[in-house]
Amino acid sequence: MSDTFPAGFLWGTATAAYQIEGAPQEDGRTPSIWDTFSHTPGKTEGGATGDIAVDHYHRRAEDVRLMADLGLNAYRFSVSWPRVQPTGRGPAVQRGLDFYRGLVDDLLGHGIEPVLTLYHWDLPQELEAAGGWPERETAYRFAEYARLVGEALGDRVRRWTTLNEPWCSAFLGYGSGVHAPGRTDPLAALRAAHHLNLGHGLATQALRSVLPADSQVSVSLNPSCVRARTQSPGDLDARRRIDALANRVFSGPMLSGAYPEDLFADTARLTDWSFVQSGDEALCKQPLDSLGINYYTPAVVSASTDPTAERHDGHGASDHSPWPGVDSIAFHQPPGELTEMGWSVDPTGMYELLMRYSREAPGVPLQITESGAAYDDKPDADGVVHDPERIRYLHSHLSAVRRAMNDGADVRGYFLWSLLDNFEWAYGYTKRFGVVRVDFDTQRRTPKSSAQWYAQLAATGVLPDVPLG
């Protein structure tokens, strides 16, 4: 199998606004749901917030130079909705847009392609106070916001993404409550999932109405590679049910224009789905120029009648499940090496998902828009940060991408998560995903050995060997 990637392949890193920017009250920005959530006692590890994060708002030029030094040709970032449109309604705040104008100009000046994500979980708090994503109106507010950003940056940004991981927004935010806004209502989670789908469709239409014709619009999903623990009928049905809630609840309407009927049946005791209005499903299915896939680890499920069984689904501890209507399924810790997140290292799941979505979205190019791992990286006595575990992770997962490409998957880019150690949501600053270490006290940036390895890959397009040790 060739370890060489084609010319023109996008080699990038990815970040999210709330995780890196800081400056929560500067230039007109108002609170997002993550500001409110992280300032609520007991919601994040150690009471951590994104108030400073890694101070990217003030260190933008330094961070872009880091990318340039690594030879990256793309950077996937998100726009803070409350920085651009503080209440989620009305005109844009130009001071907020100016930050992103400057960021894009810096990127283009270094030959780095900007890849813009409109929504990475930072809903303006005022919209949440009005009901948030469980309310239909939020989808229309999102489309308005998309149009504002498209008008401001469409002359220099060619690649656009509507939503990042809507599954997390819906089911961790409104189901299990481990993400902002921290609600624990299974019906609200299902309603949120639909309105995120609708918001994607409306925002795509809004973008295409203001962007140049050669612009590309995408969405980034985090599909789960769901595996049955055994081949028993019960375990196979558990796999089907979780696949509907993890994957087909979004890929159905977005790619096929219809929700799966078995999802309706599985959740019938919670809702009749009457919040899906006539024409909605067709509206969710907008032509895509690419499809983003975020992958970290697979899930293993089985049928279970034990209501006290520990849930190893990789989505944080909560007394409330992120799986609406599912009360007879157990999640198991997959075997093998684990990352600092407790997630198994299994690149075969990457391969399986790429081949699956090649079949389900024929003719739509794929991109890995997030892939990476958290490890307990520490500098040595000389200040050097060696992270061989991360290099092994990246090598194995990129080998899986190359294998999928050899088998027919049209994969156009890989965005490593993440450029910088940062605010890792409810885990605070305890999990480090970056290829650049950040000392959170001094904000000093130190590229790790994985950054140098990735730079060599970006320069040559050939997978470097994994160093010994």
Side-chain angles (χ1 to χ4, degrees):
M1 183 185 79
S2 171
D3 282 339
T4 302
F5 288 79
F9 195 84
L10 292 179
W11 295 109
T13 56
T15 64
Y18 188 74
Q19 292 181 275
I20 67 169
E21 285 182 2
Q25 297 176 337
E26 290 191 35
D27 296 329
R29 186 186 181 278
T30 58
S32 74
I33 54 175
W34 268 99
D35 294 273
T36 303
F37 185 82
S38 66
H39 279 269
T40 302
K43 295 298 186 182
T44 65
E45 189 80 18
T49 75
D51 286 0
I52 299 173
V54 296
D55 198 29
H56 174 72
Y57 196 75
H58 302 113
R59 297 171 183 264
R60 181 191 77 209
E62 175 187 358
D63 292 339
V64 174
R65 284 196 302 272
L66 271 173
M67 293 179 239
D69 290 345
L70 294 177
L72 304 182
N73 60 15
Y75 174 53
R76 177 175 177 254
F77 65 95
S78 78
V79 172
S80 168
W81 189 347
R83 197 178 292 289
V84 167
Q85 195 188 34
T87 66
R89 295 179 175 84
V93 172
Q94 294 305 312
R95 289 171 297 167
L97 283 171
D98 284 345
F99 171 76
Y100 299 105
R101 291 186 178 105
L103 172 61
V104 168
D105 288 346
D106 287 351
L107 292 168
L108 293 174
H110 285 87
I112 300 171
E113 174 114 16
V115 181
L116 187 155
T117 298
L118 286 166
Y119 187 73
H120 200 130
W121 308 350
D122 50 359
L123 186 72
Q125 181 60 40
E126 286 202 21
L127 290 185
E128 173 59 25
W133 283 110
E135 297 303 317
R136 186 179 183 88
E137 180 66 15
T138 305
Y140 291 90
R141 300 283 62 78
F142 179 59
E144 178 187 62
Y145 157 68
R147 180 181 55 78
L148 292 173
V149 181
E151 289 173 340
L153 297 174
D155 61 335
R156 64 198 92 177
V157 175
R158 194 166 64 94
R159 299 175 186 272
W160 295 75
T161 302
T162 55
L163 304 171
N164 178 78
E165 298 186 355
W167 187 89
C168 295
S169 298
F171 296 106
L172 300 184
Y174 294 94
S176 66
V178 299
H179 278 194
R183 289 161 61 180
T184 55
D185 180 345
L187 174 56
L190 293 171
R191 290 175 59 93
H194 174 61
H195 296 136
L196 284 154
N197 282 326
L198 181 63
H200 159 73
L202 292 167
T204 300
Q205 288 186 335
L207 286 173
R208 294 200 188 281
S209 73
V210 298
L211 294 179
D214 64 348
S215 301
Q216 298 185 18
V217 180
S218 180
V219 65
S220 286
L221 304 178
N222 59 318
S224 179
C225 180
V226 188
R227 294 168 175 166
R229 193 180 196 189
T230 75
Q231 294 301 298
S232 71
D235 287 3
L236 291 174
D237 190 60
R239 178 190 179 279
R240 175 199 62 76
R241 292 171 65 189
I242 295 302
D243 183 69
L245 280 168
N247 301 325
R248 291 179 286 125
V249 65
F250 296 107
S251 63
M254 287 186 184
L255 301 180
S256 303
Y259 284 100
E261 289 298 326
D262 61 324
L263 173 66
F264 290 162
D266 291 343
T267 57
R269 66 181 178 85
L270 295 174
T271 178
D272 61 2
W273 289 78
S274 58
F275 49 83
V276 179
Q277 297 185 11
S278 177
D280 279 3
E281 291 167 287
L283 184 55
C284 298
K285 183 181 183 297
Q286 296 296 316
L288 293 173
D289 298 295
S290 68
L291 176 64
I293 302 294
N294 297 356
Y295 172 77
Y296 292 95
T297 191
V300 178
V301 299
S302 69
S304 173
T305 56
D306 180 4
T308 65
E310 191 171 355
R311 191 178 68 246
H312 291 285
D313 62 3
H315 295 301
S318 172
D319 292 335
H320 302 272
S321 172
W323 307 102
V326 172
D327 53 10
S328 58
I329 293 176
F331 287 80
H332 305 276
Q333 178 68 68
E337 177 190 350
L338 302 179
T339 70
E340 191 71 11
M341 295 289 290
W343 297 345
S344 69
V345 178
D346 189 342
T348 63
M350 174 83 86
Y351 173 84
E352 290 177 27
L353 288 173
L354 288 173
M355 300 312 296
R356 171 178 178 169
Y357 285 93
S358 293
R359 295 188 300 270
E360 293 189 7
V364 178
L366 304 176
Q367 295 188 59
I368 304 301
T369 40
E370 284 185 29
S371 173
Y375 291 104
D376 187 19
D377 311 312
K378 292 183 173 67
D380 64 16
D382 297 321
V384 178
V385 184
H386 295 287
D387 56 343
E389 303 94 343
R390 182 173 289 105
I391 293 175
R392 289 195 297 270
Y393 183 100
L394 294 174
H395 187 281
S396 66
H397 284 73
L398 281 157
S399 294
V401 173
R402 182 65 262 193
R403 178 186 166 208
M405 294 170 70
N406 289 343
D407 290 346
D410 183 9
V411 185
R412 304 284 182 88
Y414 182 93
F415 292 83
L416 185 157
W417 186 272
S418 176
L419 175 68
L420 303 161
D421 293 337
N422 55 43
F423 175 79
E424 188 48 44
W425 306 115
Y427 294 97
Y429 296 96
T430 65
K431 309 298 182 186
R432 293 180 178 270
F433 277 88
V435 291
V436 175
R437 178 182 172 84
V438 178
D439 181 318
F440 297 123
D441 293 325
T442 67
Q443 295 298 335
R444 182 182 177 188
R445 275 86 160 129
T446 303
K448 306 173 187 179
S449 56
S450 59
Q452 307 307 327
W453 183 91
Y454 194 58
Q456 183 180 345
L457 172 58
T460 65
V462 180
L463 271 177
D465 293 334
V466 177
L468 298 175

